């Protein structure tokens, strides 16, 4: 027996390294029974614990076989904890031939209308997707030459296929790929030096590290909005037991409105998401890297609404709605005001910038775990916008028109 620390799941979980591969528990799935009936002696098991700062958000484990990859992943997201099992079979050329993703009911039942599994079958010039529901199996074929497969986020074991192709001399920067949701796109990876590769075509441009045998050693999303990191460990975790004791994350970054009044009819409102530090570095670190343009919050872009004309430094804003962004550099911190609204926080268009204003960055009086934005009025014609996170506070003054 051995233990796996899991801050989000409550106490440390005691897990057992099973005598037989975990896939034996689900050989009722006919495709897997035929594919993995005899695991070769070269089978290699591994696990990846995906952490968001101090918190574990997902655990994946998989076994690499001569004929493919057999794995499972548990993820806590929002209101649910979800357990997946997957299988990928490979041809002699190292490319996928079949894939399966099955959702495993943690409490014995699946939500109404939920697909039991998704099956993909790859031929030289097409890829077929079948979705298995309780009462039907919709099927669709996609034209694609030598297609690969994009698995959901937190299933990265199959990226060893990319590493194996690259090791064999194939160009892997961009290849057609079908996602489990039925979207035909591409996948690939580009070398960024040494044993590091940047993933392309997936939901996030994770940095992957492989060893000389094409085994995945780490996953690093700190340079993306995902922010999770994972390092290879041993397999043999009882993920079904882990899933039963996990707690859903709830909303990771709460949404909040802050507002201030400036005389009759004068109102300034900021709507933003509130991420937490979770023991990560903030200013010039993981959360607010130097020079990158940050959404000043989480999820949807941070929005500013004003009923009066505002002036911040050299930027004057007519009554209306805007989005706010922050760029932190080694020489200064700047608030950027943009006229695009209604977008997700990664959809920043610098062409629509209205201007940028220097912010004063000072030490905070206390550590702020959760990002906190505020509008501080100073009478009816002046105020200060403040952004406090970690050990710093960034602020910029503004004036408000009388009407």
């Amino acid at each position: 027996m051995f233990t796996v620390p899991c801050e989000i799941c409550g106490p440390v979980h005691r897990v057992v390294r099973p005598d037989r591969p975990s896939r034996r528990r689900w050989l009722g799935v006919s495709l897997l029974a035929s594919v993995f009936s005899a695991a070769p002696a070269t089978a290699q098991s591994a696990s990846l614990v995906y952490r968001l700062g101090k918190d574990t958000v997902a655990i994946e484990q998989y076994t690499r076989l001569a004929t493919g990859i057999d794995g499972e992943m548990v993820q806590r997201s929002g209101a649910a904890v979800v357990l997946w099992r997957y299988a990928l079979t490979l041809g002699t050329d190292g490319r996928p031939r079949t894939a399966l993703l099955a959702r495993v009911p943690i409490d014995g039942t699946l939500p109404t209308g939920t697909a039991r599994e998704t099956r993909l079958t790859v031929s030289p010039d097409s890829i077929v997707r079948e979705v298995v529901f309780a009462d039907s199996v919709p099927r669709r074929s996609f034209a694609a030459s030598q297609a690969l497969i994009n698995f959901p986020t937190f299933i990265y074991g199959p990226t060893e296929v990319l590493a194996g192709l690259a090791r064999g001399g194939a160009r892997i920067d961009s290849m057609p790929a079908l996602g489990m949701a039925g979207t035909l796109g591409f996948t690939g990876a580009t070398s960024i030096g040494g044993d590091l590769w940047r993933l392309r075509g997936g939901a996030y441009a994770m940095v992957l590290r492989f060893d000389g045998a094409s085994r995945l050693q780490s996953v690093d999303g700190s340079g993306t909005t995902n922010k999770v990191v994972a390092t290879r460990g041993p397999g043999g975790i009882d993920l079904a037991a882990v899933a039963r004791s996990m707690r859903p994350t709830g909303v990771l970054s709460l949404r909040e409105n802050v507002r201030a009044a400036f005389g009759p009819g004068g109102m300034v409102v900021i709507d933003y998401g509130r991420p937490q530090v979770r023991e990560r570095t903030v200013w010039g670190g993981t959360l607010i890297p130097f020079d990158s343009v940050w959404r000043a919050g989480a999820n949807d872009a941070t929005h500013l609404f004003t009923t009066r004309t505002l002036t911040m430094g050299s930027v004057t804003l007519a009554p209306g709605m805007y989005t706010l962004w922050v760029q932190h550099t080694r020489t200064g911190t700047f608030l950027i005001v943009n006229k695009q609204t209604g977008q997700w926080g990664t959809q920043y268009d610098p062409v629509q910038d209205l201007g940028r204003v220097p912010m004063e960055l000072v030490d905070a009086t206390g550590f702020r775990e959760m990002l906190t934005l505020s509008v501080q009025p100073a009478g009816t014609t002046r105020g200060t916008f403040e952004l406090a996170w970690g050990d710093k506070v960034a602020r910029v003054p503004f004036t408000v028109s009388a009407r």
Side-chain angles (χ1 to χ4, degrees), residues 54-253:
K54 66 177 182 178
D55 295 331
T56 301
V57 294
I59 303 173
E60 177 188 8
Q61 69 175 350
Y62 60 95
T63 300
R64 180 68 188 267
L65 309 162
T67 53
I69 300 175
D70 173 14
E72 55 187 343
M73 183 270 287
V74 62
Q75 175 187 4
R76 65 183 204 116
S77 177
V81 174
V82 181
L83 177 62
W84 299 97
R85 291 192 175 129
Y86 67 87
L88 180 68
T89 67
L90 304 175
T92 56
D93 59 356
R95 293 177 177 270
R97 291 294 177 264
T98 64
L100 182 144
L101 179 69
R103 179 165 175 172
V104 181
I106 296 173
D107 60 358
T109 60
L110 290 177
T112 302
T114 299
R116 296 176 178 174
E117 59 190 52
T118 300
R119 302 169 182 168
L120 302 180
T121 304
V122 183
S123 66
D125 58 1
S126 68
I127 182 167
V128 175
R129 173 177 177 264
E130 295 177 303
V131 184
V132 181
F133 293 92
D135 57 355
S136 63
V137 185
R139 183 178 186 274
R140 184 180 175 187
S141 180
F142 300 80
S145 176
Q146 293 188 314
L148 299 185
I149 293 161
N150 277 329
F151 280 89
T153 303
F154 303 127
I155 294 181
Y156 289 105
T159 62
E160 291 190 2
V161 173
L162 289 172
L165 292 173
R167 195 174 176 210
R171 180 176 175 178
I172 66 167
D173 60 331
S174 181
M175 293 168 285
L178 186 69
M180 289 290 174
T183 301
L184 186 62
F186 73 97
T187 192
T190 56
S191 175
I192 55 177
D195 55 2
L196 298 178
W197 294 76
R198 189 179 305 280
L199 187 64
R200 302 183 69 246
Y204 302 97
M206 314 298 276
V207 173
L208 311 174
R209 183 168 63 86
F210 298 95
D211 67 10
S214 302
R215 292 173 298 202
L216 180 62
Q217 299 299 303
S218 65
V219 179
D220 187 348
S222 58
T224 74
T225 57
N226 184 282
K227 300 297 183 185
V228 301
V229 295
T231 302
R232 185 185 184 96
I237 302 171
D238 187 348
L239 283 194
V242 172
R244 287 191 294 270
S245 59
M246 268 187 168
R247 296 189 302 270
T249 61
V251 180
L252 286 174
S253 299

